[in-house]
Amino acid sequence: MTTTSTTPAPTRAVRPPSAATALADLGRLITRALRHEARTLDALLVNIALPVLIMIVFVYVFGGAITTGSSGLDYIDFVVPTVLLMAGGYGAALSAVNISEELTGGMIDRFRTLPISGWTVPASHVVASLVRNVAATAIALAVAVALGFRPDATIAEWALVLALVSGYILAVSSIAMVWGLLVTSSQAAGAFSFAVIFFPYLSDGVVPAETMPPLLRGFAEYQPTTPIVETLRALLLDQPMGDAGRLSAVWLAAAVVISLPLAALLFRRRTST
Amino acid sequence: MYAIHSTAHAEDGIAIHARDLHKSFGDTHVLTGVELTVPAGSLQALLGPNGSGKTTTVRILTTLLAPDRGTATVGGHDVTREGAAVRRDIGLTAQQATVDGLLTGRENLELFAGLYHLGRREARRRAAGLLDRFDLGAAADRRVATYSGGMRRRLDLAASMVAAPRILFLDEPTTGLDPRSRAELWSVIRELLASGTTILLTTQYLEEADQLADRIAVIDAGRVVADDTPAALKRQVGSERLALRLARADDLPRAAAALSTGDAGPHLDPDAREIVLAVQDPDHLRRALDLLHRAGIPVERTELRTPTLDDVFFELTAVTA
């Protein structure tokens, strides 16, 4: 065979990509994912508008009819931390649709034939989701303030709020990767965002858990949304924190640590056909 | 410009080696023992109809799918145990065009070049070269969503070549291309071959396999039923088909008896009152008509046609059945 070599033959070691290479790949894939965000303005607008609408509905429509039980808070103060989670969670859950469309469209197949680490593709979606949804949550928060929400957090507390909301978005996005790679259609992937919006209703976040029937109340008190909401209330409104902060950190870390490797595994296993 | 590899593939000069590949999806046995050996630097065509197992074979060889049974090595590496090593050596153009519609053509190629770890400047250079080569220069900075089907297909091919892989898998690459794009692709494939790339190409078109391949493996119902050079296969199949439409269906058995003197027996189609036989030269046609005339069998119509995939299958599966 004749060769007309213009570049030296690349060395082809049989090692998996090094950590530095994997991070560089992640960077390339994040650039791509952020380009997607910037180029799908309609999706971005829905991602921002829906949380704002939820905020308005809760404050104006339900706000007058719901009492906040023993907490002594105004309803807007009671509900805003939960709506912030709904806002971030909704958009984060939409990432399931993004990766599912790449799976059914065959893009994942192409990525799987490239010499890259399996976790980088789902991780790039998670990072893009983080950027998108921190922004969406900040907008929802600004609307809440315009509607009369008056947080009294210090700078340090705001930093913790940002960390917690980011952690929640990371966790939901990671679970969304697993869901999006498991289901076989983008419609099914989209159902995840309803689950994520609905989940906080069954917590202490929208109505006080003490008003619920016993079985539901038990669930509401122990599900992860409750400590996260309590932590947010503690940071934003000077409410007692208790164990909620630590519990939230454990829940969110566990969700990311379990979901991302699972997503990487599914990335290698699932195919378009 | 694609050129790259002076080193041999595996030590034994075999780029792709598949042994006894089996794959089932539920009760559907898609592969039932595929055997394939492709020397480094050659083009192997995998010819077969829809559902014969071509794509499944490609997906196993490109590490997208694990076989139920059997082994395969690509570039000397086992596809199930050394997937990462295999992926460094291969490029794949799948049947479905898999490029990113929200990125521009150039961004797509630079992304894939980057993920093959080419380095930024080299990635830019390769992307620009391939865009020109595939006649996408004018559309390079438009989003791929605005491309026509043929343009997408060409970009997809460029993407699988961007890192100049040593072994390239092309799964029905010319399906959906217009004749000019197809000719262009063929010339690119020939260039790649000349530079030492090993290519496995699946196709439904006998002509395409004939034009490009060093060897053609005919795959049917999950098995390779023939694997030979194009010339040898064509000899076996015959260069042309003669279809004789008889005036009376009752005459078919007698006509078959009168004509079955050649290597391959004639193929009867009672519904169409047709008898089809392989002919090697024009004289064959005269002899056939002569024989029928002497047997007193009236012929309503004659038709000469080039062998289709159906003919190849009829011939090859009839031999192995």
Side-chain angles (χ1 to χ4, degrees):
Chain A
M1 110 185 64
T2 52
T3 56
T4 49
S5 190
T6 53
T7 49
T11 51
R12 293 176 189 272
V14 191
R15 280 173 283 114
S18 70
T21 309
L23 282 178
D25 288 342
L26 180 63
R28 294 180 182 100
L29 290 166
I30 288 172
T31 305
R32 161 182 179 265
L34 290 177
R35 278 181 173 146
H36 279 201
E37 300 299 344
R39 292 172 191 184
T40 47
L41 273 181
D42 47 351
L44 200 58
L45 286 178
V46 170
N47 197 151
I48 290 167
L50 196 93
V52 168
L53 286 176
I54 296 173
M55 185 68 78
I56 292 170
V57 165
F58 271 105
V59 173
Y60 283 133
V61 181
F62 298 153
I66 297 172
T67 58
T68 58
S70 56
S71 71
L73 292 168
D74 285 343
Y75 187 66
I76 187 168
D77 294 332
F78 182 83
V79 82
V80 162
T82 316
V83 178
L84 290 180
L85 293 186
M86 288 178 176
Y90 166 74
L94 286 181
S95 318
V97 179
N98 294 349
I99 195 141
S100 171
E101 277 173 356
E102 305 216 309
L103 181 68
T104 51
M107 200 64 195
I108 295 280
D109 279 355
R110 165 151 328 258
F111 283 133
R112 284 179 58 205
T113 64
L114 300 175
I116 57 176
S117 294
W119 60 271
T120 52
V121 172
S124 71
H125 282 281
V126 169
V127 172
S129 167
L130 181 66
V131 173
R132 181 180 75 224
N133 291 299
V134 166
T137 311
I139 291 170
L141 181 65
V143 171
V145 170
L147 294 178
F149 178 58
R150 291 289 172 266
D152 58 0
T154 63
I155 302 273
E157 282 170 333
W158 276 116
L160 286 173
V161 167
L162 178 65
L164 188 61
V165 168
S166 302
Y168 184 73
I169 292 167
L170 278 179
V172 174
S173 308
S174 303
I175 299 169
M177 289 301 107
V178 174
W179 177 256
L181 288 168
L182 269 178
V183 298
T184 51
S185 73
S186 52
Q187 283 89 340
F192 184 59
S193 54
F194 289 102
V196 170
I197 286 244
F198 186 68
F199 204 55
Y201 285 88
L202 304 179
S203 77
D204 191 42
V206 178
V207 297
E210 64 202 32
T211 63
M212 297 179 187
L215 194 67
L216 215 51
R217 182 178 171 174
F219 178 79
E221 280 172 355
Y222 289 101
Q223 72 123 312
T225 314
T226 297
I228 299 170
V229 167
E230 278 172 7
T231 310
L232 281 178
R233 283 184 190 142
L235 293 170
L236 292 169
L237 302 163
D238 266 343
Q239 294 280 301
M241 169 94 77
D243 270 345
R246 238 167 296 140
L247 211 53
S248 305
V250 170
W251 271 111
L252 296 178
V256 175
V257 166
I258 293 170
S259 301
L260 261 193
L262 201 56
L265 192 73
L266 286 169
F267 171 82
R268 280 284 167 229
R269 295 282 165 84
R270 300 287 287 179
T271 68
S272 61
T273 46
Chain B
M1 63 172 285
Y2 300 101
I4 313 292
H5 354 278
S6 50
T7 50
H9 288 241
E11 281 77 38
D12 54 2
I14 298 299
I16 302 170
H17 187 55
R19 279 202 53 212
D20 198 33
L21 291 181
H22 283 70
K23 184 75 192 179
S24 301
F25 298 104
D27 289 337
T28 316
H29 304 295
V30 181
L31 300 185
T32 55
V34 166
E35 305 271 340
L36 206 58
T37 305
V38 183
S42 70
L43 191 147
Q44 172 84 48
L46 211 52
L47 179 69
N50 289 330
S52 57
K54 299 189 301 286
T55 296
T56 304
T57 304
V58 167
R59 293 174 70 83
I60 289 174
L61 294 175
T62 52
T63 78
L64 288 176
L65 208 59
D68 295 338
R69 235 173 73 196
T71 57
T73 60
V74 170
H77 297 291
D78 187 285
V79 293
T80 40
R81 286 180 289 114
E82 304 170 291
V86 170
R87 286 191 282 275
R88 244 168 241 135
D89 279 351
I90 63 169
L92 165 68
T93 293
Q95 256 181 55
Q96 199 181 12
T98 48
V99 281
D100 191 325
L102 288 170
L103 300 186
T104 67
R106 191 188 307 281
E107 285 167 348
N108 264 286
L109 294 187
E110 287 178 358
L111 170 68
F112 293 127
L115 294 176
Y116 276 109
H117 311 127
L118 281 184
R120 192 176 295 248
R121 274 184 51 206
E122 180 65 7
R124 281 209 189 120
R125 199 180 65 81
R126 294 265 179 99
L130 282 165
L131 287 164
D132 281 343
R133 186 75 184 82
F134 281 92
D135 207 11
L136 292 167
D141 297 309
R142 258 168 51 200
R143 285 190 207 172
V144 171
T146 67
Y147 283 22
S148 71
M151 291 164 77
R152 253 170 190 270
R153 192 81 220 161
R154 297 203 304 270
L155 183 68
D156 198 40
L157 290 158
S160 63
M161 295 171 190
V162 76
R166 295 196 298 167
I167 303 167
L168 189 58
F169 293 86
L170 304 175
D171 195 1
E172 300 195 9
T174 58
T175 303
L177 285 190
D178 59 39
R180 200 176 61 90
S181 307
R182 194 173 55 167
E184 178 62 32
L185 176 66
W186 284 3
S187 80
V188 172
I189 289 175
R190 289 196 183 96
E191 254 175 62
L192 288 168
L193 262 181
S195 73
T197 309
T198 308
I199 300 174
L200 183 95
L201 171 140
T202 78
T203 181
Q204 299 189 45
Y205 308 118
L206 192 55
E207 190 208 351
E208 182 162 281
D210 186 22
Q211 284 277 331
L212 298 169
D214 295 302
R215 288 180 77 85
I216 301 175
V218 180
I219 186 165
D220 182 42
R223 294 186 55 215
V224 174
V225 295
D227 186 359
D228 218 326
T229 61
L233 276 180
K234 276 195 294 187
R235 255 197 314 279
Q236 193 177 347
V237 172
S239 52
E240 280 185 308
R241 284 285 171 289
L242 172 62
L244 300 161
R245 188 186 171 100
L246 305 185
R248 294 187 304 263
D250 298 347
D251 287 338
L252 274 173
R254 273 202 314 136
L259 293 171
S260 60
T261 47
D263 311 329
H267 160 47
L268 301 179
D269 183 349
D271 292 332
R273 278 181 282 137
E274 262 190 4
I275 182 161
V276 182
L277 58 159
V279 294
Q280 315 296 342
D281 54 69
D283 202 42
H284 209 135
L285 167 63
R286 188 185 54 74
R287 283 202 309 271
L289 289 173
D290 244 19
L291 283 168
L292 291 179
H293 179 68
R294 251 180 274 154
I297 300 169
V299 174
E300 197 175 86
R301 200 180 66 196
T302 67
E303 189 191 348
L304 265 179
R305 56 189 185 217
T306 51
T308 62
L309 195 55
D310 284 348
D311 298 319
V312 176
F313 274 99
F314 179 74
E315 210 77 33
L316 294 171
T317 51
V319 169
T320 53

